Amino acid sequence: MPEEIGFFFENHPDPMLVYEPNSLRILAANRAASEVYGYTNEEFLNMTIAAMRPPEDVPRLLAIVKQVAGQRGAGNMWRHRTKAGKIIYADVLSQPLAYHGAHARLVVIRNVTASTHLQAFVEALPGKFMVLDANDLTIVSASDEYLATTMRKREDIKGRHLFDAFPADPNDADQDGVTTLQRSLTRVIESRQADSMAVQRYPIPRPPEQGGDFEERFWSVVNSPIFGYEGNVAYIIHRVEDVTDFVRLAESPNDEDAESANVHLIESHSKQLATDILVRSRELKETNARLSEYEANLRMAQRLLGLGIWRLNIDTNEIVWSDDIYTMFGQTPTEFGHSIETYIALVHPDDRAAFDAYVAEYLDNPAPTFELNHRIVRPDGKIIYIRGIAELTTTPDGRLLNGVVQDITADIQARQQSLMLAQRLAQTLDSMSDAFYLLDKQWCFSYINAEGERLLHRKYDDLIGRNVWEAFPEAAESIIRTEYERAIADNTAVEFSLYFAPLKTWFEINAYPSSEGLAVYFRDITERRELAERLNQSQKMEAIGQLTGGVAHDFNNLLTVILGNAELLKESLDDQPSLRLFAEMSASAAERGAELTNRLLAFARRQALEPKVIDTNKLVCGIEGLLRRALNEDIDIELVRGGGVWPAEVDPSQLESALLNMAINARDAMPDGGKLTIETANARLDDAYAEAHPDVKPGQYVMISVSDTGTGMPADVIARAFEPFYTTKPAGKGSGLGLSMVYGFVKQSGGHIKIYSEIGEGTTIRLYFPRANPTGIDDTFEPARKVVPGNEHILVVEDDDLVRTHVVTQLKGLGYRVTEAISGQAALDIIKRHSDIDLLFTDVVMPGGINGRQLADQAMALRPALKVLYTSGYTENAIVHHGRLDQGVHLLAKPYRRSELASKLRKALEQ
């Protein structure tokens, strides 16, 4: 149990138990309980409270448990049996308790078998006597005088059987002392009356230091019963007088000695009777002297223990109290009416009806014992709790209840406070945000809180008492068992995380060993792990973006020169086919390099998109021919166009490229042929879907799905399908950038992508693009322009010497007048000097503190009519925001062909 509850419960001076009312099974026991009853904690947890009672008391126990269900029970006197079989008497208080989320009862036990104070007084009282346990004739106590007379030490005889501590003389053939004493004790138990024995010969063993062997002794014995709470004989007072000297004097043949003892005794016909009379006379004289001392000791015991003595005559209805009760109740003898009715008037109003009924029932059917357990309202308004018990005896004066009463207010208040604290701490444990459970040393659940039930999808009653490895067999084969066993073996706390597949949940677990077993705190970190994965993916994207940005800028500059020169070589080698082939190969390699760079930029969402509001049905139909050329003849193509499909705002060329990439992947997944299906439809992604996919915004989308009947993908491949350079194709068969480019494009377009696949069943990839306003649909098709020359004045701004030289040559070849600058500042100086510049052709990313966008803004401030065409292999955020070109911006992406350069120039100049 938690540290706070465990400390209070474990260290309470009284025995305490927690049990389940239906099964009576013990759920917890404190240290004091183990000390008093002799059971270990593990033994208690395998017992019921019925096992602590003698069998004949169990029916009463079951009746009381049913009677106090859901209520507080106090003042019940019980016989309890220890592990050794010894019967003790206990005063029991019980209270309903919500224990670990279930109904239970807390029991506080006060062992009242023998009071420590009374024990000390008894042992110091004058007289020679022993107290015997009537159940087994073991020695409970002995007076100091008895020990001196019998030459014994208290620790040598206490707890031993009477005839083991005082055995018969083996050399005595008759051994009548043991037999006679045993018969007397049996008569006391059976008759419930005192038994006076005649003077009895009973030799006792001498201690070794006094020579050993047995010494003949004669004793005068009276055995008296003491009754328990149930009216049974619980103890026997064995009172003796050593009359050895009297017996020997009476048996002496010397008449003078006998006369000195008592002349009348000598004349008696029975020496035995004469001796008894002499002994009783001597005892009477001594008893009167001891009586005053005993009464004084009794009064001291009453004061120390807070006891009051009372007597009720059932037949006359008269109550007599000791002065202690008047003080306890705040009454005076004149104020109290000395009847049962006046006493009932003192009882608290809330307890009065129950007590009145109890008294009425008792008066109709008197039992051996009468119990008091209720509250008293004193005249000053103070409320006290009292507990008492009385024994019924029949006398010539009538039937008398003689009893004691004790003020237990302080105990009740302490117990109530303890219960409140226990309940409060238990509620705190149940309301913890962390899931928590306890395992005992047998790996069985002993407690689980509400959050633990929720995370494990199990009920409290289904788990309590069950072995954790049987309840969760998958855990037995996981790191959970390894770490738990290590915590127990090393007595150290452990902390670890794992994915528990049966519950599809990531758990973070802390386990702490204790003397009772293992305390386990655990949390569901699935969402946190997913957030971390998304953050990792985002950081990966950012890193790739930074990498590709730098690579793209420099690589595309080189590719621009290579591709341009290869085109020029091709045109100049028309009459030399063998050399023209090399030029074409160079141009093709440059284009493949440009495609690779663009795919990296697409995955990193750094490409410049030019979205338009399009009709997706028309776009899908338009690429059917391209798909049929790209796929094998043994693959059927089916286009399923949904009716009334909403328009979507997307870059059409990039969408065509994405669909082509997915179609090629589908082709590779169907080496023996199959079917490719492209479908369009409207879709609504609701809040529930968005909650399961945090990167999705709820709303209306246009869905395009690409399905194949190929080999399918396992879950681990699906999880990595969008990673750049990840491929399951053989070496040289794929770059691993196809799906990553599609993923980046869809995300940059504000959409969502989802893969569904099963091994042997094929794969479906669905693309979702936000619905657009239908009024802006752009179905115009811009045909490729022929290379158109010009004669305008163009200012070329490029920091890379090779690219700048190549572009200037290209532009002059197209008929343009060209001025070149190496930086933004140099370009501004030229613009200030030349007023006839028609177009600024500038790189976007340049050193020197002025990028292409800043240059264009300052240049247009000087020359408002100036046209601007940007070029770049990597634009960053200068002219692209949210993945889209700024309104009215013209961009020629590197690398580019001569025809693309000519076309973009004319478009920018003519706008």
Side-chain angles (χ1 to χ4, degrees):
M1 61 180 58
E3 182 179 354
E4 301 90 342
I5 298 176
F7 178 82
F8 165 78
F9 183 83
E10 188 68 17
N11 293 284
H12 197 282
D14 287 335
M16 297 179 73
L17 303 173
V18 177
Y19 75 92
E20 197 280 315
N22 293 325
S23 65
L24 305 186
R25 184 169 65 89
I26 296 174
L27 305 178
N30 69 350
R31 186 185 298 114
S34 295
E35 293 172 353
V36 170
Y37 291 91
Y39 294 104
T40 66
N41 189 64
E42 289 77 9
E43 289 172 329
F44 268 123
L45 298 182
N46 290 310
M47 293 172 55
T48 67
I49 60 172
M52 299 170 59
R53 269 79 171 174
E56 59 269 23
D57 290 357
V58 172
R60 179 189 172 213
L61 169 67
L62 298 178
I64 290 295
V65 169
K66 183 177 181 181
Q67 178 182 340
V68 301
Q71 304 176 15
R72 177 178 169 275
N76 290 309
M77 295 294 182
W78 293 95
R79 291 190 304 166
H80 284 184
R81 184 171 56 191
T82 67
K83 183 178 179 181
K86 185 176 180 62
I87 298 297
I88 66 173
Y89 290 86
D91 180 16
V92 178
L93 169 70
S94 67
Q95 176 75 30
L97 172 70
Y99 185 76
H100 301 325
H103 295 296
R105 291 191 74 85
L106 174 67
V107 177
V108 182
I109 303 167
R110 179 67 57 84
N111 182 4
V112 296
T113 305
S115 167
T116 302
H117 292 91
L118 289 177
Q119 183 81 4
F121 284 121
V122 166
E123 293 171 350
L125 287 174
K128 306 174 187 66
F129 59 87
M130 279 194 308
V131 179
L132 304 176
D133 189 324
N135 292 309
D136 53 13
L137 296 184
T138 55
I139 299 172
V140 176
S141 181
S143 68
D144 296 337
E145 287 187 23
Y146 183 90
L147 296 172
T149 301
T150 57
M151 300 175 288
R152 290 291 182 274
K153 295 180 180 179
R154 183 171 285 109
E155 60 271 18
D156 292 339
I157 66 170
K158 191 173 183 179
R160 294 175 63 186
H161 192 278
L162 172 63
F163 298 121
D164 178 39
F166 297 97
D169 183 355
N171 298 319
D172 184 356
D174 293 334
Q175 295 188 4
D176 60 331
V178 172
T179 303
T180 305
L181 177 57
Q182 196 165 27
R183 288 174 180 171
S184 175
L185 296 173
T186 301
R187 284 194 299 272
V188 170
I189 294 173
E190 292 178 351
S191 68
R192 300 164 54 86
Q193 300 291 331
D195 185 75
S196 297
M197 298 175 62
V199 173
Q200 181 64 47
R201 176 181 174 275
Y202 197 121
I204 62 172
R206 282 191 294 265
E209 60 269 18
Q210 297 185 24
D213 206 359
F214 281 76
E215 179 179 305
E216 186 178 51
R217 293 286 188 89
F218 290 86
W219 308 90
S220 174
V221 181
V222 177
N223 295 313
S224 304
I226 296 180
F227 297 101
Y229 293 109
E230 302 295 332
N232 59 310
V233 177
Y235 300 97
I236 299 175
I237 297 180
H238 175 69
R239 183 165 55 86
V240 303
E241 284 293 342
D242 184 354
V243 296
T244 305
D245 292 341
F246 288 95
V247 171
R248 287 173 180 169
L249 180 61
E251 292 178 346
S252 173
N254 190 322
D255 292 339
E256 293 181 1
D257 292 338
E259 184 176 0
S260 64
N262 192 314
V263 65
H264 298 293
L265 294 177
I266 296 174
E267 294 174 353
S268 172
H269 296 288
S270 174
K271 292 182 180 180
Q272 182 86 357
L273 179 59
T275 301
D276 283 347
I277 294 172
L278 185 61
V279 169
R280 296 295 179 260
S281 176
R282 180 182 174 187
E283 288 181 351
L284 181 60
K285 294 175 184 177
E286 293 178 352
T287 299
N288 288 331
R290 292 197 300 264
L291 185 58
S292 296
E293 183 180 359
Y294 175 78
E295 289 178 348
N297 289 331
L298 182 59
R299 283 193 297 272
M300 183 182 299
Q302 287 180 237
R303 186 176 68 256
L304 292 176
L305 298 177
L307 294 174
I309 298 175
W310 58 277
R311 183 179 68 247
L312 168 65
N313 189 317
I314 295 178
D315 297 319
T316 65
N317 194 26
E318 181 183 8
I319 296 178
V320 178
W321 284 349
S322 66
D323 292 342
D324 308 86
I325 299 182
Y326 288 113
T327 303
M328 187 187 303
F329 288 2
Q331 295 275 340
T332 65
T334 57
E335 292 173 335
F336 183 59
H338 300 284
S339 68
I340 189 66
E341 289 78 17
T342 54
Y343 176 79
I344 291 176
L346 297 177
V347 177
H348 191 283
D350 293 344
D351 301 341
R352 191 174 298 156
F355 180 68
D356 197 6
Y358 173 70
V359 171
E361 181 181 353
Y362 185 87
L363 293 177
D364 290 339
N365 300 287
T369 58
F370 180 85
E371 296 181 4
L372 302 175
N373 201 321
H374 48 252
R375 290 169 290 177
I376 292 292
V377 181
R378 291 162 44 110
D380 59 7
K382 182 180 179 181
I383 298 174
I384 63 171
Y385 290 81
I386 63 101
R387 175 181 57 191
I389 190 168
E391 186 177 274
L392 179 64
T393 59
T394 302
T395 70
D397 295 328
R399 294 172 296 170
L400 302 181
L401 278 174
N402 294 290
V404 295
V405 68
Q406 185 179 27
D407 181 353
I408 59 170
T409 305
D411 289 344
I412 293 295
Q413 290 174 344
R415 291 172 185 176
Q416 288 175 342
Q417 290 175 358
S418 299
L419 286 173
M420 289 176 60
L421 176 61
Q423 291 173 346
R424 189 160 57 246
L425 292 176
Q427 291 170 355
T428 300
L429 186 62
D430 258 352
S431 62
M432 286 195 315
S433 59
D434 281 355
F436 172 78
Y437 61 78
L438 287 173
L439 300 176
D440 62 21
K441 292 187 176 180
Q442 285 72 46
W443 302 107
C444 293
F445 286 94
S446 58
Y447 170 73
I448 183 169
N449 69 357
E451 180 65 7
E453 293 181 76
R454 187 184 71 81
L455 292 188
L456 296 182
H457 304 287
R458 298 288 184 87
K459 294 296 184 181
Y460 179 91
D461 292 338
D462 296 338
L463 291 178
I464 297 305
R466 288 193 65 188
N467 184 283
V468 63
W469 313 127
E470 294 176 0
F472 299 95
E474 298 86 356
E477 305 299 327
S478 72
I479 190 178
I480 298 177
R481 184 163 195 164
T482 304
E483 290 297 306
Y484 283 8
E485 290 177 346
R486 181 168 72 87
I488 295 294
D490 299 343
N491 194 31
T492 183
V494 296
E495 179 179 357
F496 60 96
S497 301
L498 88 159
Y499 179 75
F500 193 59
L503 298 178
K504 299 180 181 179
T505 304
W506 275 94
F507 288 115
E508 182 178 82
I509 301 175
N510 296 81
Y512 303 91
S514 69
S515 59
E516 298 177 355
L518 199 66
V520 180
Y521 296 80
F522 61 105
R523 292 159 291 281
D524 180 352
I525 60 169
T526 306
E527 184 176 351
R528 194 170 76 194
R529 293 276 303 199
E530 291 174 351
L531 288 174
E533 287 294 330
R534 288 197 293 273
L535 177 61
N536 182 57
Q537 180 72 7
S538 175
Q539 291 173 339
K540 184 191 300 183
M541 295 273 288
E542 184 65 24
I544 292 176
Q546 294 293 337
L547 172 64
T548 54
V551 170
H553 181 268
D554 295 336
F555 193 51
N556 283 333
N557 280 342
L558 296 175
L559 289 175
T560 299
V561 177
I562 294 171
L563 183 60
N565 289 336
E567 284 187 322
L568 292 175
L569 284 173
K570 283 168 57 180
E571 293 176 2
S572 62
L573 294 173
D574 286 340
D575 57 346
Q576 301 182 52
S578 59
L579 293 178
R580 179 183 172 85
L581 177 62
F582 290 114
E584 289 176 347
M585 291 172 60
S586 297
S588 177
E591 288 176 345
R592 290 181 63 187
E595 181 182 354
L596 177 64
T597 304
N598 288 336
R599 287 188 175 186
L600 283 172
L601 288 172
F603 170 74
R605 311 182 204 178
R606 300 298 178 96
Q607 63 183 340
L609 299 180
E610 296 186 66
K612 297 179 180 178
V613 178
I614 64 168
D615 183 333
T616 52
N617 280 339
K618 288 185 178 180
L619 183 140
V620 168
C621 288
I623 66 168
E624 183 177 3
L626 179 62
L627 293 177
R628 294 194 182 279
R629 290 192 296 273
L631 302 183
N632 300 334
E633 293 181 355
D634 56 359
I635 296 177
D636 294 330
I637 300 176
E638 181 181 6
L639 304 181
V640 180
R641 293 172 293 174
V645 175
W646 299 319
E649 188 174 12
V650 64
D651 188 320
S653 63
Q654 292 294 336
L655 177 56
E656 289 176 355
S657 178
L659 294 175
L660 181 60
N661 266 299
M662 291 190 291
I664 292 173
N665 280 344
R667 177 199 66 190
D668 295 341
M670 297 184 288
D672 298 325
K675 183 178 181 179
L676 176 74
T677 303
I678 300 180
E679 180 182 2
T680 61
N682 295 329
R684 289 178 174 83
L685 302 183
D686 57 18
D687 291 336
Y689 188 90
E691 185 175 348
H693 303 78
D695 59 328
V696 174
K697 292 181 179 180
Q700 296 178 333
Y701 290 82
V702 175
M703 186 273 295
I704 305 176
S705 70
V706 178
S707 302
D708 64 61
T709 58
T711 56
M713 292 184 284
D716 59 327
V717 173
I718 294 175
R720 301 186 60 191
F722 297 134
E723 292 184 11
F725 305 113
Y726 177 75
T727 180
T728 57
K729 298 176 183 178
K733 296 295 184 179
S735 65
L737 288 171
L739 282 181
S740 62
M741 180 274 290
V742 176
Y743 174 86
F745 158 64
V746 172
K747 292 297 182 182
Q748 192 173 351
S749 300
H752 172 59
I753 183 170
K754 185 70 174 178
I755 298 179
Y756 303 89
S757 185
E758 292 185 19
I759 296 295
E761 298 295 330
T763 299
T764 295
I765 302 178
R766 292 179 179 174
L767 312 182
Y768 296 87
F769 297 99
R771 176 184 181 180
N773 188 340
T775 58
I777 294 181
D778 186 354
D779 289 331
T780 59
F781 174 71
E782 186 174 336
R785 295 193 181 195
K786 296 181 179 180
V787 177
V788 180
N791 58 6
E792 286 89 350
H793 188 183
I794 297 177
L795 173 59
V796 176
V797 187
E798 173 63 62
D799 61 289
D800 188 290
D801 294 338
L802 287 175
V803 176
R804 188 175 64 256
T805 300
H806 168 72
V807 172
V808 169
T809 301
Q810 290 273 27
L811 292 175
K812 287 182 178 179
L814 291 171
Y816 292 101
R817 292 176 291 128
V818 181
T819 302
E820 58 185 284
I822 194 172
S823 67
Q825 187 59 53
L828 288 174
D829 293 339
I830 293 173
I831 291 173
K832 291 176 182 178
R833 296 195 306 269
H834 296 274
S835 59
D836 62 339
I837 296 176
D838 298 298
L839 182 140
L840 173 65
F841 184 34
T842 178
D843 193 7
V844 176
V845 181
M846 293 186 298
I850 300 178
N851 62 29
R853 183 57 184 263
Q854 293 168 336
L855 169 62
D857 290 343
Q858 296 182 44
M860 292 179 69
L862 296 172
R863 301 281 188 267
L866 184 66
K867 307 294 184 180
V868 179
L869 174 62
Y870 296 97
T871 182
S872 181
Y874 172 52
T875 59
E876 283 192 331
N877 294 320
I879 59 174
V880 175
H881 293 88
H882 306 294
R884 303 181 179 196
L885 284 173
D886 292 345
Q887 187 70 26
V889 169
H890 297 282
L891 173 67
L892 179 61
K894 297 178 183 178
Y896 46 80
R897 292 178 174 274
R898 182 164 175 258
S899 59
E900 294 171 336
L901 172 62
S903 175
K904 280 289 185 181
L905 281 172
R906 295 317 310 165
K907 184 176 181 180
L909 286 166
E910 294 170 4
Q911 185 173 353

